[in-house]
Amino acid sequence: MRSRVYMISLLVFLVFTVNFTASTLYAQKSYKESPALTDLVRQGKLPPVENRLPEEPLVIEPIERAGKYGGTLRFFMVGADWPTLTRTIGYEPLVRWDWNTDFARVSPNIAKSWEISKDGREFIFHLRKGMKWSDGQPFTADDIIFWYKDVLLNKDLTPVFPERLTAGNRPVVVEKIDDYTIKFKFSSPYGTFLLQLASVGSEYWLPKHYMKQFHPKYTDPKKLEVLVKREGYDVWYKLFQKKNSYYENPERPTLYAWIIKQISTTAGKKIVAERNPYYWKVDIAGNQLPYIDSVTYEILTDTQVAIIKTLAGEYDIVDRMVITPETYPLFLEGQQKGNYNTRVLKPADMNIAVIQFNLTCKDPVLRKIFNEPKFRIAISHAINRDELVNLLYFSLTKPRQPAPLEESPFYHSKYANAYLEYSPQKANKLLDEIGLKKGSDGWRLRPDGKRLEIVMEIAPDYRPDFIDLCEVLKKYLSEVGIKMEVKVESAPLLRQRILANAHEVTLWGGDGGMEVLLEARYYIPTTPSSSSWAVEWARWRESGGKSGETPPREIRQMISWYNEAIRAQSLEKQKVLMNKIFDLHAKNLYVIGICSVPEIISIVHNRVANVPPWWWDSWTYPNPAPIGLYQVFIRE
């Protein structure tokens, strides 16, 4: 594993069990840099490279070989799709995923090492002494404390405390030990905290020296009020949030390999990011990273334009939006003409789509029907998955339920294969057994005598295949006497309806195939917006029982097992607890899967080197960023 930074020691203290990981030993006494930066050093515009790097930079072993400096890496963005920036240059957490992670382990990044207390409640992180922001100012524990005290604990900036920073329903406490040592303290064990830290959205620091000018604690209120009005805002925290956005405010210092210098969301224009001269990673030969001078993002109007330009070889790495089962053959055929090759893009999702009957549905008759396991099992038997896979997904996938993937340490074979058999006979028998008899017209009747009709709500914004999928499902259900209507709406509207518990059935992609403990929306009711199969139970869980509806005993037990699993400090203990949850899913089929997500391809231009043979497709692992674009280079 060529770019993985390995765990090299385990230390034991009186209070702390040390989970200490270190990168390649720091044998370099001197470092090399891009010729463009050498020129700036000679002109006196930059300090020497040794003075710009931390005492212990993160040493990266390139995937293929040490690269050469220069060139531009080319991407596209469709409209103002800011997550594209996160997925490329905007991933630098405290600890990180390796490109080939199993989502159960993390590696050093901004933190060079860490220690975990024996009870799993305290995490001490050691930062890199001498590390600097992109403007040359020191990055220290004070930047984390500023985020904690003045942003996280500020109700204007953080009105809702994030769940991922709580344990035992109590918020984290962050303490500074010294300038380069920080402690996160929880009220109960938090075994998955490191995994959370490696996930997207876990950058728990801000450049205090820059951002404090927009905070009333550090700036004269009258001066700040003038600044707020001059910038066109009515309250200070809106200005603060705008100034804190690295992709909307080029003046904000960052820790990324490239600094955004030019912003535009106008079609035909480009976003341009240039190398950070203070970037804190080097290769094994002592070359300061990144190799590539700049990164550009061409702003496009739609994905059709992106497909045409990708086929023409105008972008360097493409693994989102344009490559689908439908376009797969097109991109394979176009390799020579487009001067690109392909890599395997492995889905971290465990299912192409998950059917979610709302078990807390407002209609009491439908609720009773949906909560009958035999009903859900009957629906599963009514689906001809082999035919469906052939019709819609070109036989590139296979039938399965929404269980963790085979590559996951949490794989559960019994759940993955539960009730997959296509058998209208079994489906009809189960529906008859629960009293859903057919009327004279062949449609099944509810217990109140009305025709059993259900409405499937979908938002095909990013998944246009859902429309065809629902038409096929509609046909299968009609064959066992259930009338299904399909309601197509925008994702924001569907989310509003889910939050209001106004829906009956929904369809959504199957997250959580690899990120099992981090993305558990289908395994337990997590939040009302994400677990549409149990909205009010999720609301109960999220509020600590203050709102929503108390779930049945079995669901409460699953929630308890999950809460214990995310606190457990060993993978084995986590597996035991999650297996109990999956045993219940295998028996009761709370949500229904269709098939696995097909492996597709990523496009990599032939001029680009140091790209691995495959990587994951997941938001938690914001692909392709974890492959390390800082060690990618442009060939001669």
Side-chain angles (χ1 to χ4, degrees):
M1 197 178 309
R2 306 192 64 181
S3 66
R4 183 181 289 269
V5 185
Y6 289 95
M7 180 176 292
I8 64 169
S9 61
L10 180 63
L11 308 177
V12 180
F13 293 108
L14 291 176
V15 179
F16 298 106
T17 297
V18 181
N19 186 0
F20 179 77
T21 55
S23 60
T24 309
L25 294 178
Y26 306 98
Q28 295 299 138
K29 299 299 182 182
S30 63
Y31 298 96
K32 289 165 276 187
E33 63 188 346
S34 164
L37 297 182
T38 301
D39 289 343
L40 293 176
V41 173
R42 288 171 181 164
Q43 296 171 30
K45 296 180 180 180
L46 273 180
V49 62
E50 290 82 3
N51 295 342
R52 302 198 307 271
L53 289 167
E55 290 183 5
E56 297 180 359
L58 179 57
V59 181
I60 299 294
E61 183 173 359
I63 289 173
E64 297 174 16
R65 62 185 184 276
K68 69 182 188 68
Y69 288 115
T72 297
L73 198 59
R74 304 165 302 168
F75 294 97
F76 70 82
M77 274 178 53
V78 177
D81 181 32
W82 300 122
T84 294
L85 299 178
T86 301
R87 288 179 176 273
T88 48
I89 65 174
Y91 175 72
E92 292 292 359
L94 205 61
V95 298
R96 65 188 172 95
W97 302 123
D98 286 325
W99 70 263
N100 52 359
T101 183
D102 62 359
F103 292 90
R105 300 162 184 82
V106 300
S107 292
N109 200 50
I110 285 174
K112 66 178 183 178
S113 61
W114 55 87
E115 301 153 15
I116 305 174
S117 63
K118 289 182 178 179
D119 61 7
R121 299 169 188 258
E122 298 185 2
F123 299 76
I124 293 179
F125 296 95
H126 300 279
L127 308 177
R128 300 179 186 279
K129 187 174 182 180
M131 185 170 163
K132 296 177 175 61
W133 291 95
S134 56
D135 61 356
Q137 293 299 309
F139 169 77
T140 70
D142 289 334
D143 296 303
I144 296 176
I145 293 299
F146 176 71
W147 157 81
Y148 170 66
K149 290 184 176 180
D150 301 315
V151 177
L152 185 66
L153 298 184
N154 185 289
K155 292 293 185 180
D156 289 327
L157 292 172
T158 312
V160 179
F161 202 89
E163 183 180 355
R164 64 166 59 184
L165 288 171
T166 65
N169 293 320
R170 294 186 179 182
V172 67
V173 174
V174 183
E175 297 176 353
K176 174 183 174 180
I177 296 178
D178 59 42
D179 285 346
Y180 295 99
T181 312
I182 203 84
K183 180 191 291 186
F184 286 71
K185 295 171 58 177
F186 294 93
S187 60
S188 62
Y190 195 171
T192 56
F193 183 52
L194 291 179
L195 305 185
Q196 291 284 4
L197 286 180
S199 303
V200 69
S202 298
E203 296 184 7
Y204 300 145
W205 48 84
L206 280 80
K208 178 180 179 180
H209 67 282
Y210 174 79
M211 289 304 301
K212 67 181 182 180
Q213 64 182 305
F214 309 113
H215 199 293
K217 179 178 176 180
Y218 300 92
T219 301
D220 180 270
K222 292 183 178 179
K223 291 183 179 179
L224 184 56
E225 184 178 359
V226 171
L227 180 59
V228 168
K229 290 181 178 179
R230 188 170 70 227
E231 294 281 343
Y233 295 96
D234 55 346
V235 289
W236 72 270
Y237 55 84
K238 292 182 181 178
L239 173 65
F240 187 96
Q241 291 165 339
K242 181 75 172 182
K243 294 295 185 180
N244 190 41
S245 172
Y246 78 93
Y247 50 79
E248 295 178 287
N249 176 22
E251 295 180 358
R252 181 198 183 278
T254 80
L255 299 175
Y256 302 140
W258 295 274
I259 311 162
I260 292 178
K261 295 292 187 179
Q262 177 180 314
I263 300 287
S264 177
T265 56
T266 304
K269 300 292 185 179
K270 290 183 179 180
I271 294 176
V272 178
E274 299 176 357
R275 76 162 63 251
N276 175 3
Y278 292 92
Y279 194 55
W280 38 278
K281 296 179 185 178
V282 300
D283 69 13
I284 54 177
N287 297 300
Q288 184 190 27
L289 300 173
Y291 296 127
I292 288 173
D293 289 333
S294 61
V295 182
T296 62
Y297 304 83
E298 184 177 11
I299 308 301
L300 305 180
T301 54
D302 57 54
T303 55
Q304 290 304 310
V305 177
I307 290 172
I308 294 169
K309 286 178 168 283
T310 301
L311 286 167
E314 296 187 23
Y315 306 119
D316 291 314
I317 301 176
V318 179
D319 71 348
R320 295 180 62 234
M321 295 189 175
V322 302
I323 306 168
T324 65
E326 292 80 11
T327 61
Y328 187 97
L330 188 66
F331 283 111
L332 286 179
E333 293 170 6
Q335 293 184 71
Q336 185 173 357
K337 186 176 180 180
N339 194 26
Y340 60 79
N341 59 82
T342 63
R343 301 290 196 273
V344 174
L345 184 62
K346 287 190 175 185
D349 287 3
M350 43 56 176
N351 222 277
I352 199 80
V354 180
I355 301 171
Q356 300 177 77
F357 287 96
N358 183 5
L359 305 186
T360 63
C361 182
K362 287 183 178 179
D363 183 322
V365 178
L366 286 181
R367 176 189 287 217
K368 186 175 181 180
I369 294 170
F370 294 167
N371 273 276
E372 173 55 65
K374 288 184 178 181
F375 173 79
R376 301 189 297 269
I377 294 168
I379 298 300
S380 187
H381 281 310
I383 300 171
N384 188 342
R385 291 175 175 83
D386 289 329
E387 180 182 73
L388 190 154
V389 164
N390 183 55
L391 283 173
L392 299 182
Y393 301 112
F394 306 96
S395 298
L396 297 173
T397 179
K398 63 180 182 179
R400 78 185 319 271
Q401 296 293 1
L405 294 176
E406 286 81 350
E407 297 95 330
S408 168
F410 297 97
Y411 176 61
H412 193 284
S413 177
K414 185 177 179 181
Y415 178 28
N417 296 288
Y419 311 115
L420 292 178
E421 178 191 2
Y422 172 55
S423 176
Q425 296 80 13
K426 287 185 177 181
N428 280 313
K429 183 175 182 294
L430 288 168
L431 293 171
D432 290 341
E433 287 177 3
I434 59 176
L436 300 177
K437 304 299 182 181
K438 287 183 178 180
S440 59
D441 58 1
W443 295 110
R444 293 190 179 274
L445 302 175
R446 303 174 5 153
D448 58 5
K450 296 179 182 178
R451 179 190 293 172
L452 176 57
E453 298 181 0
I454 59 176
V455 178
M456 172 76 80
E457 299 187 41
I458 61 171
D461 305 47
Y462 299 105
R463 291 292 303 275
D465 62 305
F466 276 10
I467 295 176
D468 290 337
L469 174 57
C470 281
E471 288 304 312
V472 178
L473 291 174
K474 181 177 179 180
K475 170 180 171 290
Y476 293 151
L477 265 61
S478 70
E479 292 172 352
V480 295
I482 297 176
K483 187 174 181 58
M484 184 181 97
E485 296 298 331
V486 181
K487 184 177 181 181
V488 178
E489 53 206 14
S490 68
L493 176 57
L494 177 55
R495 189 167 295 271
Q496 288 177 15
R497 288 183 53 74
I498 290 171
L499 284 170
N501 197 36
H503 64 294
E504 295 173 0
V505 195
T506 61
L507 196 70
W508 202 259
D511 306 78
M514 290 299 297
E515 327 92 306
V516 175
L517 296 174
L518 303 178
E519 181 51 271
R521 66 173 74 183
Y522 299 118
Y523 305 139
I524 64 157
T526 51
T527 64
S529 61
S530 61
S531 295
S532 65
W533 60 281
V535 173
E536 294 304 323
W537 298 343
R539 206 183 308 277
W540 176 87
R541 174 191 175 272
E542 187 180 54
S543 67
K546 296 178 182 177
S547 61
E549 298 177 11
T550 303
R553 180 191 60 79
E554 207 164 56
I555 299 294
R556 295 199 307 272
Q557 179 64 77
M558 292 165 65
I559 293 172
S560 176
W561 285 331
Y562 174 74
N563 291 341
E564 190 177 348
I566 62 175
R567 293 194 299 268
Q569 297 182 68
S570 77
L571 179 60
E572 290 308 310
K573 177 66 173 176
Q574 292 168 349
K575 288 165 64 175
V576 168
L577 291 162
M578 293 304 293
N579 276 338
K580 293 181 179 181
I581 294 174
F582 300 139
D583 285 341
L584 288 179
H585 275 276
K587 174 185 176 184
N588 296 313
L589 207 63
Y590 297 104
V591 294
I592 303 167
I594 303 295
C595 58
S596 60
V597 181
E599 283 188 356
I600 51 176
I601 54 173
S602 298
I603 302 299
V604 179
H605 199 282
N606 287 326
R607 74 192 195 111
V608 177
N610 277 355
V611 179
W614 66 270
W615 58 86
W616 292 109
D617 179 21
S618 168
W619 175 236
T620 301
Y621 167 109
N623 55 290
I627 71 174
L629 296 179
Y630 43 76
Q631 53 89 54
V632 165
F633 70 95
I634 305 299
R635 304 179 198 273
E636 294 287 350

